Amino acid sequence: MHHEIRFNAFLAHSSVHQMPGLWRHPQDESLQHKTMAYWQKLARILERGKFDAIFLADAIGVNDVHGGSLDTAVRHGLRLPRHDPWAVVPVMAAVTQHLGFGVTGTLSYEEPYLFARKLSTLDHLTSGRLAWNIVTGYLESGAKAVGRAAMDAHDLRYDIADEFMEVVYKFWEGCWEDGALLTDRASGVFADPSKVHRIVHEGTYFNLEGIHMVDPSPQRTPVLYQAGASGRGRRFAGTHAECVFLIGQTQAALSEVVSGIRAQAEQAGRDPSDLSFLMSAIIIVDETEAKARARMAQYHEYLDLNALLGLISGTSGVDLSKYDLDSPYPDTRRDASAHTLVEANTRIRDGRVPTIREVVQRSAFGRGPVMVGSASQVADQLQTWVESTGITGFNLIYAVMPADYEAIADLLVPELQKRGVFKRDYRPGTLREKLQAVSQPLLPASHPAARHRVPGHA
């Protein structure tokens, strides 16, 4: 059976995302990320290539772990400056009709009431093309910057996240009934007060009351993306996520994670087939294998290994400046998230712990498989991954912006379409309808959000 392969483009509102140093490449345009033209050009390329969505990574705070200072991050532009990712959604929506927008929102630093309003506003403006990638944050510097003494412990962050979800579901699903908004010019009645319900929430971490400030958006709750790889993160994904991001490991390991999260969803009373899975990958595709390999070799010349050390220190919480590059990668994990972020590249192989240098080199091109070759060679690899692991598609990391996405849209997508494994056109409707092949834009009745719906609401 041929599965339809799905693509997301994975980047940040910054000049450096996964591959430090490549902003210097003569073809790279990522220094333009602070302009509207940059985002609109990218959005048009992705829609031409029938990508489901652009996925914007984000993290609150800066990488200040390496050398115990900000020097490495500032000197190499390690995701700094990093602008607000939500702001570019309407900019891209204005020049596209179908492309979805998955944006990372760090709920540890958001107020549920205001956050719910922001997302409903954007879901309206995009005609229901919004998705939220739910994260709890991992940078200590972010906690300090918003005035906290320290970051909450890993599993506690997820406990708070579960309750945060309950609160925003109440606002999105349980406040305004369908048909509450009348805007009846003849009678002068704008909305029916009996169909707008005050939300009162008394919980462990949140105590609040109020009504949602925005009338129901096309999807009510935006499409929910999540990237939790720890045990607690997987349980959270099984409960809430519609689309789960995974870091590429071996095909066998990935397959196990996919079936594990589906089992968690079933335990939560959901239909496991409601979940889709996207694995991060890098695709360098060209007209011939030789051209693709030459391009990859050229990319390697621009990669900045010192900057990469800073990036890995930041994501893992381990200051790698204290160790010799040829010593074994240190097993000093701050918490479970630190482990999962570098797990794919620090795994013991042949009974030997890799050295820091090896981990840096393996991490050089993102976290996940790197596929280099002609369109047919890459298409073969993509199909193998999908068929052997149960994933739905790929979260594609660029090396050079936007040239890599252009090559995927113009060379690889037509090859996949020819094989009958990639859509020739978008489905109508909201992002949820396009992704799930369903005819209604709301979350299914088995999703925990549906428990907060009021009578009279479908």
Side-chain angles (χ1 to χ4, degrees):
M1 174 187 157
H2 288 312
H3 298 277
E4 184 181 293
I5 294 172
R6 319 196 72 101
F7 284 166
N8 274 230
F10 187 38
L11 61 153
H13 195 347
S14 182
S15 298
V16 174
H17 183 211
Q18 299 276 5
M19 283 167 246
L22 276 140
W23 58 271
R24 300 171 298 160
H25 190 282
Q27 272 186 297
D28 189 82
E29 295 176 16
S30 62
L31 292 175
Q32 300 301 312
H33 74 90
K34 58 197 87 170
T35 68
M36 282 207 235
Y38 171 89
W39 293 103
Q40 294 189 331
K41 177 179 179 175
L42 174 65
R44 288 186 177 107
I45 291 166
L46 298 177
E47 188 154 277
R48 184 174 85 219
K50 306 286 188 288
F51 277 62
D52 286 309
I54 179 169
F55 173 67
L56 287 162
D58 194 31
I60 305 302
V62 289
N63 284 315
D64 60 358
V65 175
H66 191 256
S69 85
L70 274 173
D71 288 7
T72 304
V74 173
R75 183 173 288 111
H76 299 285
L78 293 183
R79 302 175 185 171
L80 186 74
R82 177 169 40 205
H83 296 215
D84 186 325
W86 296 99
V88 293
V89 170
V91 167
M92 292 186 284
V95 296
T96 53
Q97 276 186 294
H98 299 284
L99 184 68
F101 307 100
V103 187
T104 300
T106 310
L107 53 69
S108 301
Y109 309 126
E110 298 279 1
E111 284 294 333
Y113 178 65
L114 298 176
F115 188 72
R117 177 176 74 155
K118 177 163 70 174
L119 272 61
S120 293
T121 303
L122 288 169
D123 199 48
H124 275 297
L125 284 174
T126 60
S127 307
R129 291 189 273 153
L130 192 71
W132 166 31
N133 175 43
I134 309 158
V135 301
T136 62
Y138 66 89
L139 292 167
E140 287 288 352
S141 62
K144 288 178 187 160
V146 298
R148 311 254 175 102
M151 198 162 57
D152 292 321
H154 179 268
D155 286 10
L156 172 62
R157 296 203 297 274
Y158 276 111
D159 293 343
I160 296 168
D162 273 321
E163 191 176 326
F164 187 104
M165 298 309 291
E166 189 186 336
V167 175
V168 291
Y169 292 155
K170 286 177 178 177
F171 285 128
W172 288 328
E173 301 285 343
C175 187
W176 294 72
E177 290 184 31
D178 291 341
L181 199 67
L182 299 170
T183 54
D184 185 337
R185 285 187 166 91
S187 69
V189 177
F190 198 90
D192 179 348
S194 72
K195 293 186 174 182
V196 182
H197 306 278
R198 181 177 290 274
I199 301 303
V200 178
H201 179 89
E202 293 174 0
T204 310
Y205 308 105
F206 300 98
N207 286 284
L208 48 89
E209 63 173 284
I211 70 157
H212 190 34
M213 290 172 81
V214 183
D215 52 299
S217 69
Q219 301 182 110
R220 280 188 178 256
T221 297
V223 172
L224 300 170
Y225 284 28
Q226 203 258 344
S230 65
R232 183 66 182 88
R234 288 176 196 181
R235 195 164 90 233
F236 185 89
T239 306
H240 301 282
E242 295 176 84
C243 184
V244 182
F245 288 121
L246 300 168
I247 292 167
Q249 303 165 24
T250 60
Q251 291 179 2
L254 201 65
S255 177
E256 212 173 291
V257 173
V258 168
S259 51
I261 295 175
R262 286 201 198 278
Q264 295 272 13
E266 202 162 13
Q267 274 181 318
R270 298 175 62 198
D271 180 345
S273 66
D274 286 342
L275 277 72
S276 58
F277 295 84
L278 296 174
M279 176 183 76
S280 58
I282 292 160
I283 290 174
I284 310 297
V285 65
D286 215 316
E287 288 154 357
T288 63
E289 182 184 2
K291 279 186 177 177
R293 295 214 171 277
R295 197 139 65 90
M296 184 63 164
Q298 187 196 39
Y299 288 178
H300 268 285
E301 289 169 26
Y302 286 92
L303 202 68
D304 189 329
L305 290 182
N306 286 326
L308 209 55
L309 273 170
L311 208 54
I312 295 170
S313 294
T315 49
S316 68
V318 177
D319 180 2
L320 296 176
S321 73
K322 294 177 176 173
Y323 301 89
D324 184 271
L325 277 179
D326 295 305
S327 64
Y329 190 87
D331 184 14
T332 49
R333 296 169 191 142
R334 189 189 63 239
D335 64 21
S337 68
H339 170 50
T340 52
L341 280 160
V342 290
E343 179 190 35
N345 294 314
T346 58
R347 217 173 34 249
I348 294 169
R349 300 177 193 195
D350 311 319
R352 187 179 67 81
V353 176
T355 65
I356 292 173
R357 191 186 301 278
E358 286 169 330
V359 171
V360 171
Q361 283 164 346
R362 281 177 201 166
S363 306
F365 275 82
R367 301 193 298 272
V370 182
M371 304 178 199
V372 183
S374 66
S376 68
Q377 288 171 318
V378 173
D380 287 345
Q381 289 187 59
L382 293 174
Q383 284 186 266
T384 302
W385 274 98
V386 169
E387 283 156 21
S388 68
T389 62
I391 59 169
T392 322
F394 300 86
N395 208 21
L396 298 178
I397 301 165
Y398 72 93
V400 167
M401 175 69 123
D404 291 329
Y405 291 131
E406 282 182 300
I408 290 164
D410 299 336
L411 298 173
L412 179 58
V413 167
E415 173 66 27
L416 293 168
Q417 287 170 331
K418 197 172 75 186
R419 296 178 181 209
V421 294
F422 199 92
K423 62 180 166 295
R424 290 193 174 269
D425 221 333
Y426 289 99
R427 292 187 186 95
T430 62
L431 181 59
R432 181 169 286 116
E433 289 167 280
K434 293 180 203 303
L435 291 176
Q436 306 288 18
V438 290
S439 56
Q440 57 93 22
L442 306 179
L443 278 163
S446 67
H447 191 280
R451 294 201 276 276
H452 301 289
R453 288 177 184 158
V454 283
H457 164 13

